[in-house]
Amino acid sequence: MHIDKAHGIPVYHPKAGKWKEIKRYGALYVLMLPILIAVIVFAYIPMYGVVLAFKDYSFARGILGSPWAQPFDRYFATFFHHPYFWPIIRNTVCISLLKIFTGFVASVALALMLNEVTRQKFKKFAQTALYLPHFMSWVIVAGFVGRFLSLDYGLLNQLKVALFGGETVHWLGEPAYFWPIVVLTNIWKEVGWGSILYLAAIAGIDQEQYESAYMDGAGRWRQMWHITVPGMAPMMGIVLALSMGTIMSAGFDQIYLLQSNQTYDVSMIIDTYIMEVGLRGGQFGYATAVGLFQSVIGLIFVLGFNRLARQKFGISIW
Amino acid sequence: MKYKMSFGESLGQTLIYIALAVLSVTTLYPFINAAALAFNQGYDSLRGGIYLWPRTPTLENFRVMFSNENIGNAAYVSVFRTVVGAALHVLFSAACAFALSYRKLPGRGLITGFLFIPMIFGGGIIPFYILLRDLHLTNSIWVYILPYLFSFYNILILRTYFEGLPEEVKEAAIIDGCGYGRMLVRIIMPLSLPVLATIALYSAVAHWNDWFAGYFYVNNEALQPLQTMLVRFLKENEVTSIFAKLGVSASSTVQTKSYTSESLKMAVLVIVSFPILCVYPFLQKYFIKGALIGAVKS
């Protein structure tokens, strides 16, 4: 604030005040510095690398010095005309959707089941056991799966031969079994953890509803169907809406560790393809282009699904 | 609410208990089985029949694993990145979140937005890798720590928590002549131990479980963590592979004495999953709390 000489009226100067404020909070800015630097270096600088999708990358010249690809959308054209293009897209989307929906149904069912358990000790035990696989890396799970499905000493083959006779099956080598294996192992790993959110939602349901339902003569099943499930509906909606945004990435770790040469037709997803041609094959420009394609489509999905969710159900991520 | 259940409901409840029990067994069995195999002599395991306990107990598998210098290096890398990575992650995230918790801070919205954008848009794996290479991080252990210091999600959780701390405490500190830095360390952080512990745990687990960075970004075998070693070990049995192998681990093809590549694999599996198995039951409530805070507050 200073006096305006011409008119003799006090004038408020926001700028002078702002600098003072910034200086006053100086230490706070310093506190943010490490994170800001890390973000600039590891998140924003690579963003510029997206131009690689349009350049002919030369290791000697670096990203800036490399010439533009002729024609500039060469990589995209190559990708779209690649014989594996449709299988890759199909695998990615199908595996994603399968995992999302089966995981969703399984977690909801598990939450409902856990809710019916009255013995606290058993409930705690079950929860502890079921949350455990979530904290193990896919490396460990793949190790277990490999052993379980093993040709020579796998438990599954032993059971199969004992119950149904016949030969042992090379489960991980058969394309037909790959998607089921992916889906089932994903459920095994994530169903417990996934149920946490739904259990929280259930806990938020007004208990009086159950009492009045009981007064009206409704048994547990009816109560579950008419009270519990609708009570979880908002949470289910949010979880589904958020999951839809991840359609373009079907879970690199799991797929990469479980795939084999025989199953490539059904197991190759966008992420594993980018790994193969990019980090292994060294085709940086091409791999970046494919990655860009994946991000853009993914973004469209997130925005589209959010709009749909907002219009139809009134829920939104932001 | 106690009331008499109909027959159908009793049956339903019994089935639920059975189903949950079976499910719990399926999640626990693989670990017990792996431990049984790891403590059993490899050649004996080949005969089959090892399920819940070893038939010919031995520490041979572990002895071989620990005497392998690659495993020793890998263990060091894993522990280093887990401890240092989680500690720095929490420290810097808390500092940033604390600053952002001041609503009057000029530029607060801008900075928050600045931190949010990378969540929806990024350059992708390839430019990230090129950056790591140009920064010469690909042959340094810091490649596992520096790029992972930042998580928008965690900063948001911390910021929300700090905002919820009583104003009187912060004001009293300022009146006493305390600078922001000291306030953070001496006052705010001790008050926030549960949240900090939760974030630290999540970060630690993520670090311990990460096999990807070591597998794809680092060529130097001595710099690869345990999980990466395990992946190479598992992939070793792939007969032909379009993905070229990173290098052959000599120890797994040796088949003398009583161990087999299978039993060694089991030993590594046990070693790698052991820390989490130990820590998990005690810290379970922290993990759950973290998940709920994130979901409910956002």
Side-chain angles (χ1 to χ4, degrees):
Chain A
M1 286 248 292
H2 76 272
I3 307 290
D4 181 79
K5 293 271 166 53
H7 301 94
I9 323 167
V11 173
Y12 176 56
H13 264 252
K15 248 210 182 141
K18 260 247 145 79
W19 276 115
K20 247 205 219 156
E21 273 199 62
I22 292 184
K23 273 203 280 180
R24 186 155 73 102
Y25 288 120
L28 288 180
Y29 289 108
V30 171
L31 285 179
M32 291 195 282
L33 218 46
I35 294 290
L36 289 179
I37 296 179
V39 170
I40 293 177
V41 171
F42 293 107
Y44 279 91
I45 293 186
M47 274 190 207
Y48 176 73
V50 163
V51 299
L52 269 186
F54 306 102
K55 280 198 174 193
D56 212 341
Y57 181 70
S58 142
F59 177 68
R61 306 224 194 123
I63 298 184
L64 286 176
S66 294
W68 295 97
Q70 301 298 337
F72 78 97
D73 57 350
R74 171 156 74 96
Y75 299 124
F76 294 96
T78 313
F79 182 49
F80 295 144
H81 292 118
H82 197 285
Y84 260 103
F85 176 70
W86 281 115
I88 290 177
I89 302 289
R90 177 203 67 195
N91 293 341
T92 308
V93 172
C94 286
I95 292 182
S96 271
L97 288 178
L98 281 173
K99 282 170 68 169
I100 290 174
F101 282 113
T102 56
F104 168 75
V105 169
S107 288
V108 168
L110 181 65
L112 289 173
M113 286 203 286
L114 281 172
N115 188 44
E116 295 298 317
V117 172
T118 43
R119 298 202 188 159
Q120 286 307 314
K121 278 213 170 142
F122 180 78
K123 192 175 183 181
K124 282 263 157 12
F125 166 75
Q127 286 178 302
T128 304
L130 291 168
Y131 297 160
L132 184 60
H134 169 79
F135 294 99
M136 296 293 144
S137 64
W138 269 113
V139 183
I140 296 182
V141 178
F144 289 149
V145 172
R147 185 164 177 86
F148 181 70
L149 299 177
S150 162
L151 204 53
D152 315 314
Y153 29 71
L155 209 56
L156 191 64
N157 271 324
Q158 287 181 18
L159 283 173
K160 181 218 176 242
V161 170
L163 292 175
F164 303 109
E167 304 256 309
T168 55
V169 179
H170 185 29
W171 302 98
L172 279 176
E174 293 287 329
Y177 298 127
F178 187 75
W179 287 5
I181 291 176
V182 167
V183 165
L184 290 173
T185 52
N186 185 54
I187 291 179
W188 179 84
K189 188 176 189 290
E190 300 294 340
V191 70
W193 191 252
S195 70
I196 286 189
L197 291 178
Y198 300 120
L199 282 174
I202 292 179
I205 297 179
D206 185 12
Q207 288 303 311
E208 285 195 13
Q209 291 196 43
Y210 290 106
E211 306 214 349
S212 36
Y214 172 57
M215 294 301 174
D216 292 343
R220 288 304 285 181
W221 293 109
R222 286 210 110 143
Q223 290 175 22
M224 191 192 290
W225 187 246
H226 289 281
I227 303 178
T228 318
V229 172
M232 292 195 294
M235 183 63 80
M236 301 203 285
I238 295 181
V239 171
L240 269 183
L242 280 174
S243 309
M244 283 301 157
T246 66
I247 262 194
M248 291 308 267
S249 48
F252 176 80
D253 282 31
Q254 179 192 21
I255 305 290
Y256 182 79
L257 293 170
L258 289 178
Q259 73 188 353
S260 62
N261 324 354
Q262 302 96 316
T263 55
Y264 278 143
D265 284 339
V266 291
S267 66
M268 183 159 291
I269 58 174
I270 295 188
D271 287 299
T272 52
Y273 182 63
I274 294 179
M275 280 304 135
E276 186 196 342
V277 296
L279 289 190
R280 297 286 197 206
Q283 302 181 51
F284 287 168
Y286 181 54
T288 309
V290 178
L292 185 60
F293 168 75
Q294 180 190 29
S295 308
V296 169
I297 302 291
L299 194 63
I300 294 179
F301 264 106
V302 169
L303 294 175
F305 237 93
N306 198 52
R307 172 171 298 182
L308 190 73
R310 208 183 316 148
Q311 282 176 352
K312 285 267 163 112
F313 304 108
I315 45 176
S316 166
I317 309 178
W318 37 67
Chain B
M1 198 172 64
K2 277 200 166 322
Y3 68 120
K4 195 150 186 301
M5 286 189 279
S6 72
F7 176 70
E9 292 176 347
S10 293
L11 183 64
Q13 237 208 9
T14 317
L15 285 178
I16 287 180
Y17 272 88
I18 293 180
L20 287 177
V22 168
L23 231 80
S24 302
V25 165
T26 63
T27 54
L28 293 177
Y29 172 75
F31 296 99
I32 303 177
N33 183 238
L37 287 165
F39 285 104
N40 198 48
Q41 286 183 14
Y43 274 102
D44 180 72
S45 303
L46 286 180
R47 288 164 43 203
I50 307 286
Y51 297 113
L52 292 178
W53 53 78
R55 190 161 49 212
T56 48
T58 176
L59 290 177
E60 185 81 10
N61 300 318
F62 292 99
R63 200 184 56 76
V64 171
M65 281 335 312
F66 282 121
S67 64
N68 179 333
E69 68 171 31
N70 279 344
I71 298 290
N73 279 332
Y76 170 74
V77 171
S78 279
V79 171
F80 183 87
R81 72 173 286 188
T82 300
V83 171
V84 176
L88 289 182
H89 178 94
V90 174
L91 183 65
F92 291 146
S93 296
C96 188
F98 176 61
L100 286 176
S101 70
Y102 276 85
R103 289 198 180 81
K104 293 225 188 93
L105 187 75
R108 181 198 198 229
L110 270 176
I111 296 182
T112 309
F114 182 74
L115 294 178
F116 174 66
I117 292 181
M119 296 259 299
I120 39 178
F121 187 76
I125 282 276
I126 304 292
F128 184 71
Y129 172 67
I130 295 181
L131 176 72
L132 291 180
R133 218 179 42 187
D134 290 344
L135 289 176
H136 297 290
L137 280 176
T138 48
N139 48 18
S140 154
I141 203 172
W142 292 99
V143 71
Y144 298 117
I145 297 178
L146 296 180
Y148 306 105
L149 287 176
F150 162 70
S151 155
F152 181 73
Y153 203 56
N154 288 344
I155 291 183
L156 215 61
I157 293 178
L158 287 170
R159 184 190 78 172
T160 311
Y161 187 85
F162 291 149
E163 280 171 355
L165 290 177
E167 278 300 312
E168 305 86 52
V169 179
K170 300 178 199 164
E171 281 164 20
I174 296 186
I175 292 178
D176 286 345
C178 192
Y180 288 118
R182 202 181 261 181
M183 189 190 329
L184 175 68
V185 174
R186 291 276 170 84
I187 302 178
I188 306 291
M189 284 177 82
L191 280 180
S192 327
L193 282 181
V195 183
L196 293 176
T198 307
I199 304 280
L201 271 177
Y202 271 115
S203 180
V205 170
H207 271 293
W208 183 263
N209 281 344
D210 175 46
W211 61 277
F212 188 88
Y215 196 72
F216 287 107
Y217 299 148
V218 180
N219 275 329
N220 185 357
E221 272 187 36
L223 271 181
Q224 293 177 350
L226 281 175
Q227 301 271 355
T228 305
M229 286 275 134
L230 186 54
V231 172
R232 290 173 45 198
F233 224 41
L234 291 179
K235 284 264 173 195
E236 207 95 325
N237 285 350
E238 293 292 306
V239 179
T240 51
S241 177
I242 292 183
F243 297 165
K245 286 188 281 201
L246 257 186
V248 184
S249 164
S251 59
S252 65
T253 52
V254 174
Q255 295 204 3
T256 60
K257 306 253 171 98
S258 72
Y259 50 85
T260 60
S261 59
E262 262 304 304
S263 67
L264 292 180
K265 246 200 265 178
M266 287 298 132
V268 182
L269 237 152
V270 168
I271 296 176
V272 171
S273 53
F274 184 66
I276 299 194
L277 280 175
C278 278
V279 151
Y280 170 68
F282 304 105
L283 301 172
Q284 195 192 9
K285 63 169 185 181
Y286 283 110
F287 288 120
I288 298 182
K289 208 189 239 178
L292 290 176
I293 294 180
V296 174
K297 288 256 160 91
S298 61

